Amino acid sequence: MMIYHTDDMTLYSVRSVFKSEINDVVVCQDRASPAKPYYTLVVVKKRETAKKLLSIFEENPKSTEESPFVKCFSHGEELCYLFDYHIERNLEQFCEGQLITPNDKENICINIVLACFASPLPYPLLHLILSRRQVHIEKDNAIYFTHYFDLSELDPKNDEAQCTFECVRILLEILQKGSKKPLKSYNLLRKKIDRHSYKHFAELYRDIKITALPHTKPKLFQRFRNFWSWNKDRFFKIILVISVLAAILALLMLASYLIFGDFSLFRLFRGSIDKIGTEQINLTKS
C-alpha cells in the first residue's frame, strides 16, 4: 500500500487502476479527512511526460474558472495529479438498459456533447478520455468522465477538432445500436464524419438538436416495455418471495400428511359449522 502526503491530506492507495512505465492511476482515500473521501491519483513517472503535461495544463486554451484537477504535487521524483473520484458506470455497459427509445439515444448524445463542453480538461487529455471510452452515465442519464489516463498516448497536438471526431464516433455507436432504421441524426453525423467536417463541439451540438426526433408520448406497448425495464428487478423480488412462501406452505402440508395421515390444514375449512345452537344445518341424508 502506497501513502502520499500533500498539505493536510494523507492519501492511501486502495486500488490500482492502471500501471505502466510512464504513469500509474490509483484510487486513493484521504484518511486525514473525517469524511475519508476517495480520489483518482495520476502518478507521472517519466520526466519527459511530466514536462509535457505541465505545458499542456499551462497552455490550456479553455477559459474556465474551474481547475481541471484537485491538486498537483510531487512525490519523490514523481509528479502527481489528484482528481475527483466517481464510481464507474461505463456508458457501453449501461446504455442498453437505459437508452430504450430513439429519443433517449439522442438526448444522451446531447448530454455527452454538453459534458465535453463543460469539461475543464485540456483537449489532449479530453481526447484520451474519449478515445479510451472513459465515459460514464448516471441513472438519470447525466454524463461524467473518469480520469484513467494512459499517458503513453498523450499528444499535445490533439485539439478540439480531434476531440469532436472521437465524440462523433461514440455518438454513432449509440445512435446505431438496436435501431432497425437509421435516424436522421445518425445519417447526418455519418456523412460529416466521413468528410471530417467537424471542428468544434458547437457544430456537433447544433446538428443533433436540429435532427433530433420531436418528443412524443410513447405508444402503449413502448410504455409497457419501459415500465418493465425499470421495474423488472422489483417484480423478480416479489415473485421470489411468493415462490419461497409457496415452497414453505407445500413443505408444511407434506409434513402434516406424513405425521397425521391427512392434510390437517384442510380441516379448518371442513365440517366446522354443521350445527349452530339447536339448528342442524347438515343436509346429508341419514
Side-chain angles (χ1 to χ4, degrees), residues 164-257:
T164 308
F165 180 83
E166 284 298 330
C167 185
V168 174
R169 291 180 61 191
I170 295 174
L171 304 192
L172 289 174
E173 293 171 6
I174 294 172
L175 295 172
Q176 186 181 31
K177 188 170 293 185
S179 297
K180 296 180 181 179
K181 183 180 179 182
L183 298 170
K184 289 183 179 179
S185 52
Y186 174 86
N187 289 334
L188 179 59
L189 266 59
R190 180 80 267 172
K191 290 178 182 177
K192 286 202 169 185
I193 195 176
D194 289 341
R195 298 197 300 263
H196 292 268
S197 300
Y198 288 114
K199 304 298 180 184
H200 305 283
F201 285 114
E203 302 167 1
L204 180 56
Y205 176 80
R206 179 200 60 206
D207 284 350
I208 298 174
K209 290 290 288 185
I210 290 174
T211 57
L213 293 171
H215 290 274
T216 57
K217 190 175 181 180
K219 296 180 180 179
L220 181 62
F221 175 77
Q222 188 61 53
R223 279 184 284 170
F224 175 78
R225 183 180 174 184
N226 294 350
F227 178 78
W228 169 255
S229 176
W230 285 105
N231 294 280
K232 58 185 179 181
D233 290 340
R234 184 181 303 172
F235 290 150
F236 175 78
K237 291 178 182 178
I238 293 173
I239 293 172
L240 181 62
V241 171
I242 293 174
S243 300
V244 171
L245 292 176
I248 292 172
L249 180 61
L251 288 173
L252 289 174
M253 292 174 64
L254 177 61
S256 174
Y257 180 80

Side-chain angles (χ1 to χ4, degrees), residues 14-209:
V14 296
R15 178 164 68 95
S16 175
V17 178
F18 174 80
K19 201 172 186 66
S20 73
E21 294 182 357
I22 295 177
N23 75 284
D24 296 341
V25 178
V26 183
V27 175
C28 293
Q29 184 181 34
D30 180 15
R31 297 186 181 176
S33 168
K36 293 181 170 51
Y38 289 91
Y39 296 95
T40 299
L41 184 67
V42 178
V43 182
V44 186
K45 297 185 282 188
K46 289 288 186 178
R47 184 171 299 180
E48 297 78 9
T49 305
K51 289 181 180 178
K52 187 189 301 184
L53 200 54
L54 285 168
S55 175
I56 288 172
F57 278 117
E58 288 175 0
E59 298 172 5
N60 185 6
K62 291 188 175 183
S63 55
T64 174
E65 296 180 358
E66 182 184 357
S67 173
F69 48 82
V70 178
K71 283 182 183 293
C72 175
F73 61 94
S74 59
H75 177 76
E77 296 183 356
E78 299 170 334
L79 180 65
C80 300
Y81 284 94
L82 193 67
F83 297 89
D84 288 321
Y85 171 74
H86 300 281
I87 296 175
E88 297 95 318
R89 292 188 89 252
N90 193 271
L91 179 65
E92 293 180 351
Q93 182 179 355
F94 286 90
C95 71
E96 188 171 353
Q98 291 188 213
L99 309 183
I100 300 171
T101 68
N103 281 126
D104 293 335
K105 296 176 182 178
E106 289 177 331
N107 286 337
I108 207 64
C109 287
I110 291 172
N111 289 350
I112 292 172
V113 178
L114 291 176
C116 293
F117 264 131
S119 174
L121 286 171
Y123 290 121
L125 290 176
L126 181 60
H127 185 271
L128 288 181
I129 285 177
L130 296 174
S131 62
R132 283 291 181 174
R133 302 298 190 266
Q134 295 296 335
V135 183
H136 300 262
I137 182 171
E138 296 276 13
K139 291 182 180 179
D140 63 355
N141 288 348
I143 293 295
Y144 62 96
F145 304 131
T146 49
H147 305 89
Y148 299 162
F149 301 121
D150 178 1
L151 296 180
S152 66
E153 301 175 359
L154 182 63
D155 186 353
K157 295 180 181 178
N158 282 330
D159 56 8
E160 186 177 1
Q162 298 297 327
C163 290
T164 308
F165 180 83
E166 284 298 330
C167 185
V168 174
R169 291 180 61 191
I170 295 174
L171 304 192
L172 289 174
E173 293 171 6
I174 294 172
L175 295 172
Q176 186 181 31
K177 188 170 293 185
S179 297
K180 296 180 181 179
K181 183 180 179 182
L183 298 170
K184 289 183 179 179
S185 52
Y186 174 86
N187 289 334
L188 179 59
L189 266 59
R190 180 80 267 172
K191 290 178 182 177
K192 286 202 169 185
I193 195 176
D194 289 341
R195 298 197 300 263
H196 292 268
S197 300
Y198 288 114
K199 304 298 180 184
H200 305 283
F201 285 114
E203 302 167 1
L204 180 56
Y205 176 80
R206 179 200 60 206
D207 284 350
I208 298 174
K209 290 290 288 185

